[in-house]
PDB file of all heavy atoms in Angstrom:
ATOM      1  N   MET A 476     115.405 160.279  64.575  1.00 98.00           N
ATOM      2  CA  MET A 476     115.958 158.999  64.151  1.00 98.00           C
ATOM      3  C   MET A 476     114.889 157.934  64.249  1.00 98.00           C
ATOM      4  O   MET A 476     114.224 157.793  65.266  1.00 98.00           O
ATOM      5  CB  MET A 476     117.181 158.616  65.002  1.00 98.00           C
ATOM      6  CG  MET A 476     117.878 157.338  64.527  1.00 98.00           C
ATOM      7  SD  MET A 476     119.437 156.999  65.392  1.00 98.00           S
ATOM      8  CE  MET A 476     118.839 156.040  66.785  1.00 98.00           C
ATOM      9  N   PRO A 477     114.671 157.133  63.192  1.00 98.00           N
ATOM     10  CA  PRO A 477     113.665 156.083  63.272  1.00 98.00           C
ATOM     11  C   PRO A 477     114.040 155.014  64.263  1.00 98.00           C
ATOM     12  O   PRO A 477     115.194 154.954  64.704  1.00 98.00           O
ATOM     13  CB  PRO A 477     113.675 155.538  61.834  1.00 98.00           C
ATOM     14  CG  PRO A 477     115.000 155.845  61.285  1.00 98.00           C
ATOM     15  CD  PRO A 477     115.421 157.151  61.915  1.00 98.00           C
ATOM     16  N   PRO A 478     113.104 154.145  64.636  1.00 97.00           N
ATOM     17  CA  PRO A 478     113.470 152.973  65.461  1.00 97.00           C
ATOM     18  C   PRO A 478     114.584 152.220  64.749  1.00 97.00           C
ATOM     19  O   PRO A 478     114.516 152.004  63.541  1.00 97.00           O
ATOM     20  CB  PRO A 478     112.179 152.145  65.494  1.00 97.00           C
ATOM     21  CG  PRO A 478     111.094 153.091  65.172  1.00 97.00           C
ATOM     22  CD  PRO A 478     111.675 154.140  64.253  1.00 97.00           C
ATOM     23  N   THR A 479     115.642 151.872  65.469  1.00 97.00           N
ATOM     24  CA  THR A 479     116.831 151.350  64.852  1.00 97.00           C
ATOM     25  C   THR A 479     117.465 150.272  65.720  1.00 97.00           C
ATOM     26  O   THR A 479     117.506 150.372  66.948  1.00 97.00           O
ATOM     27  CB  THR A 479     117.862 152.490  64.659  1.00 97.00           C
ATOM     28  OG1 THR A 479     117.331 153.474  63.759  1.00 97.00           O
ATOM     29  CG2 THR A 479     119.199 151.984  64.086  1.00 97.00           C
ATOM     30  N   GLY A 480     117.944 149.223  65.047  1.00 97.00           N
ATOM     31  CA  GLY A 480     118.776 148.215  65.724  1.00 97.00           C
ATOM     32  C   GLY A 480     120.219 148.437  65.337  1.00 97.00           C
ATOM     33  O   GLY A 480     120.533 148.748  64.173  1.00 97.00           O
ATOM     34  N   GLY A 481     121.125 148.258  66.295  1.00 97.00           N
ATOM     35  CA  GLY A 481     122.542 148.437  66.007  1.00 97.00           C
ATOM     36  C   GLY A 481     123.402 147.405  66.745  1.00 97.00           C
ATOM     37  O   GLY A 481     122.961 146.896  67.776  1.00 97.00           O
ATOM     38  N   ILE A 482     124.570 147.132  66.194  1.00 97.00           N
ATOM     39  CA  ILE A 482     125.414 146.107  66.807  1.00 97.00           C
ATOM     40  C   ILE A 482     126.878 146.408  66.461  1.00 97.00           C
ATOM     41  O   ILE A 482     127.190 146.935  65.392  1.00 97.00           O
ATOM     42  CB  ILE A 482     125.038 144.697  66.354  1.00 97.00           C
ATOM     43  CG1 ILE A 482     125.809 143.609  67.089  1.00 97.00           C
ATOM     44  CG2 ILE A 482     125.192 144.529  64.830  1.00 97.00           C
ATOM     45  CD1 ILE A 482     125.267 142.207  66.934  1.00 97.00           C
ATOM     46  N   GLY A 483     127.784 146.064  67.400  1.00 97.00           N
ATOM     47  CA  GLY A 483     129.191 146.151  67.167  1.00 97.00           C
ATOM     48  C   GLY A 483     129.836 144.790  67.353  1.00 97.00           C
ATOM     49  O   GLY A 483     129.556 144.080  68.316  1.00 97.00           O
ATOM     50  N   TYR A 484     130.637 144.387  66.391  1.00 98.00           N
ATOM     51  CA  TYR A 484     131.335 143.085  66.416  1.00 98.00           C
ATOM     52  C   TYR A 484     132.824 143.269  66.579  1.00 98.00           C
ATOM     53  O   TYR A 484     133.437 144.083  65.886  1.00 98.00           O
ATOM     54  CB  TYR A 484     131.108 142.320  65.083  1.00 98.00           C
ATOM     55  CG  TYR A 484     129.703 141.979  64.739  1.00 98.00           C
ATOM     56  CD1 TYR A 484     128.900 142.866  63.993  1.00 98.00           C
ATOM     57  CD2 TYR A 484     129.143 140.767  65.110  1.00 98.00           C
ATOM     58  CE1 TYR A 484     127.598 142.556  63.664  1.00 98.00           C
ATOM     59  CE2 TYR A 484     127.854 140.432  64.767  1.00 98.00           C
ATOM     60  CZ  TYR A 484     127.076 141.315  64.038  1.00 98.00           C
ATOM     61  OH  TYR A 484     125.788 140.987  63.688  1.00 98.00           O
ATOM     62  N   GLY A 485     133.423 142.482  67.465  1.00 96.00           N
ATOM     63  CA  GLY A 485     134.878 142.428  67.572  1.00 96.00           C
ATOM     64  C   GLY A 485     135.442 141.503  66.496  1.00 96.00           C
ATOM     65  O   GLY A 485     135.321 140.282  66.599  1.00 96.00           O
ATOM     66  N   ILE A 486     135.968 142.073  65.425  1.00 98.00           N
ATOM     67  CA  ILE A 486     136.425 141.296  64.305  1.00 98.00           C
ATOM     68  C   ILE A 486     137.624 140.427  64.668  1.00 98.00           C
ATOM     69  O   ILE A 486     137.725 139.260  64.271  1.00 98.00           O
ATOM     70  CB  ILE A 486     136.780 142.204  63.115  1.00 98.00           C
ATOM     71  CG1 ILE A 486     135.547 142.946  62.611  1.00 98.00           C
ATOM     72  CG2 ILE A 486     137.440 141.407  61.992  1.00 98.00           C
ATOM     73  CD1 ILE A 486     134.433 142.045  62.079  1.00 98.00           C
ATOM     74  N   ASP A 487     138.516 140.958  65.526  1.00 97.00           N
ATOM     75  CA  ASP A 487     139.727 140.197  65.863  1.00 97.00           C
ATOM     76  C   ASP A 487     139.374 138.937  66.646  1.00 97.00           C
ATOM     77  O   ASP A 487     139.951 137.868  66.434  1.00 97.00           O
ATOM     78  CB  ASP A 487     140.700 141.079  66.680  1.00 97.00           C
ATOM     79  CG  ASP A 487     141.024 142.366  65.922  1.00 97.00           C
ATOM     80  OD1 ASP A 487     141.474 142.271  64.789  1.00 97.00           O
ATOM     81  OD2 ASP A 487     140.792 143.437  66.500  1.00 97.00           O
ATOM     82  N   ARG A 488     138.424 139.030  67.570  1.00 97.00           N
ATOM     83  CA  ARG A 488     138.002 137.863  68.328  1.00 97.00           C
ATOM     84  C   ARG A 488     137.286 136.850  67.443  1.00 97.00           C
ATOM     85  O   ARG A 488     137.457 135.626  67.608  1.00 97.00           O
ATOM     86  CB  ARG A 488     137.106 138.275  69.499  1.00 97.00           C
ATOM     87  CG  ARG A 488     137.847 139.024  70.576  1.00 97.00           C
ATOM     88  CD  ARG A 488     136.950 139.346  71.758  1.00 97.00           C
ATOM     89  NE  ARG A 488     137.625 140.218  72.699  1.00 97.00           N
ATOM     90  CZ  ARG A 488     137.110 140.675  73.831  1.00 97.00           C
ATOM     91  NH1 ARG A 488     135.879 140.337  74.156  1.00 97.00           N
ATOM     92  NH2 ARG A 488     137.782 141.479  74.627  1.00 97.00           N
ATOM     93  N   MET A 489     136.539 137.357  66.491  1.00 98.00           N
ATOM     94  CA  MET A 489     135.878 136.453  65.525  1.00 98.00           C
ATOM     95  C   MET A 489     136.939 135.662  64.741  1.00 98.00           C
ATOM     96  O   MET A 489     136.827 134.464  64.554  1.00 98.00           O
ATOM     97  CB  MET A 489     135.013 137.261  64.570  1.00 98.00           C
ATOM     98  CG  MET A 489     134.213 136.453  63.582  1.00 98.00           C
ATOM     99  SD  MET A 489     133.290 137.558  62.477  1.00 98.00           S
ATOM    100  CE  MET A 489     132.156 136.422  61.683  1.00 98.00           C
ATOM    101  N   VAL A 490     137.992 136.378  64.307  1.00 98.00           N
ATOM    102  CA  VAL A 490     139.076 135.721  63.568  1.00 98.00           C
ATOM    103  C   VAL A 490     139.792 134.719  64.490  1.00 98.00           C
ATOM    104  O   VAL A 490     140.152 133.607  64.032  1.00 98.00           O
ATOM    105  CB  VAL A 490     140.047 136.746  62.992  1.00 98.00           C
ATOM    106  CG1 VAL A 490     141.254 136.053  62.331  1.00 98.00           C
ATOM    107  CG2 VAL A 490     139.329 137.660  61.972  1.00 98.00           C
TER     108      VAL A 490
END
Side-chain angles (χ1 to χ4, degrees):
M476 185 172 87
T479 297
I482 187 166
Y484 297 89
I486 296 298
D487 306 304
R488 291 184 188 179
M489 183 182 194
V490 175

